[in-house]
Amino acid sequence: MKLKFFFPGIPFSKQSVRANPVYGRDGNPVVYTDKNSGKRKVLIRYHQPKEITDQENNIRAMAISQLPPAFKPFDGPIIVCRLDFVFPPLKSFPKIRLMNIASGSVCYKTTKPDLNDNLCKGLFDALEGILYLNDSQICEKISTRKIYGMTPGISLEVEGFYEHSYPTFKPICLTEELPL
């Protein structure tokens, strides 16, 4: 089943979780004894910034509103057919570039955030449990772009399968010649 989504707004990137030591009332780090090794260790708190969790919750809410009624998350393979992260044009862009973007020409964004590491991670984590059970089900990404456009947002087209209904493909043996 193919599904299309559009999530308006400036795409967000998701960095790794942040780690900070936990401090007691006396101002010193909280120390505990590890059960396995018997060593003393500092208690660490892991967290994600509130802006990131808020943006993930917004993506979840928008995805739920765009799903067909009585949709159940895919439990088979997921193919990302198209994924566009559209950023607003920079104010420093020349007028000719802005006109080209407005007319539909593609202008790639070559600066941060990273496409696969941070942008995809945030989106795929947000859709976990809603569109699919686990983001490890994503087996293929056909087209993924980071571009400038007049309407910022994330455009996603996926094809998902249920475990009992997905097609099987003939495996390719690595010792055979691949067709060109």
Side-chain angles (χ1 to χ4, degrees):
M1 170 189 298
K2 276 196 176 188
L3 297 172
K4 293 182 182 182
F5 299 90
F6 181 72
F7 307 109
I10 298 174
F12 68 99
S13 63
K14 182 176 182 179
Q15 280 79 30
S16 301
V17 293
R18 297 186 182 185
N20 295 318
V22 176
Y23 292 96
R25 291 186 183 156
D26 60 357
N28 293 323
V30 175
V31 178
Y32 70 98
T33 304
D34 188 306
K35 293 178 184 177
N36 297 329
S37 66
K39 293 182 181 180
R40 293 174 44 98
K41 295 186 174 185
V42 175
L43 184 62
I44 303 292
R45 180 180 72 121
Y46 297 94
H47 72 283
Q48 204 48 263
K50 185 177 180 340
E51 300 84 36
I52 300 296
T53 55
D54 288 347
Q55 289 173 326
E56 282 186 344
N57 290 335
N58 289 339
I59 293 285
R60 284 186 187 102
M62 287 187 274
I64 290 170
S65 71
Q66 296 178 46
L67 285 171
F71 178 82
K72 293 197 186 314
F74 296 118
D75 60 358
I78 304 292
I79 298 171
V80 176
C81 302
R82 197 185 92 240
L83 176 56
D84 290 340
F85 293 96
V86 182
F87 289 85
L90 301 177
K91 292 179 181 176
S92 62
F93 278 176
K95 287 184 181 180
I96 188 74
R97 185 178 294 173
L98 290 173
M99 289 175 16
N100 288 340
I101 292 171
S103 69
S105 294
V106 174
C107 179
Y108 292 104
K109 179 175 172 40
T110 58
T111 58
K112 291 187 176 197
D114 296 344
L115 182 61
N116 287 321
D117 295 343
N118 298 335
L119 288 171
C120 289
K121 180 176 175 40
L123 176 67
F124 294 157
D125 286 351
L127 295 175
E128 194 168 290
I130 295 169
L131 185 58
Y132 38 76
L133 300 177
N134 191 301
D135 61 0
S136 64
Q137 293 169 244
I138 299 171
C139 300
E140 183 176 2
K141 287 191 291 187
I142 296 173
S143 171
T144 308
R145 303 185 303 177
K146 182 174 65 165
I147 58 176
Y148 290 106
M150 301 313 278
T151 307
I154 302 170
S155 178
L156 171 68
E157 184 179 337
V158 297
E159 186 171 6
F161 301 95
Y162 293 101
E163 194 65 38
H164 64 278
S165 66
Y166 72 88
T168 55
F169 302 99
K170 179 183 175 189
I172 298 174
C173 181
L174 295 179
T175 58
E176 295 177 11
E177 290 282 329
L178 294 177
L180 298 177

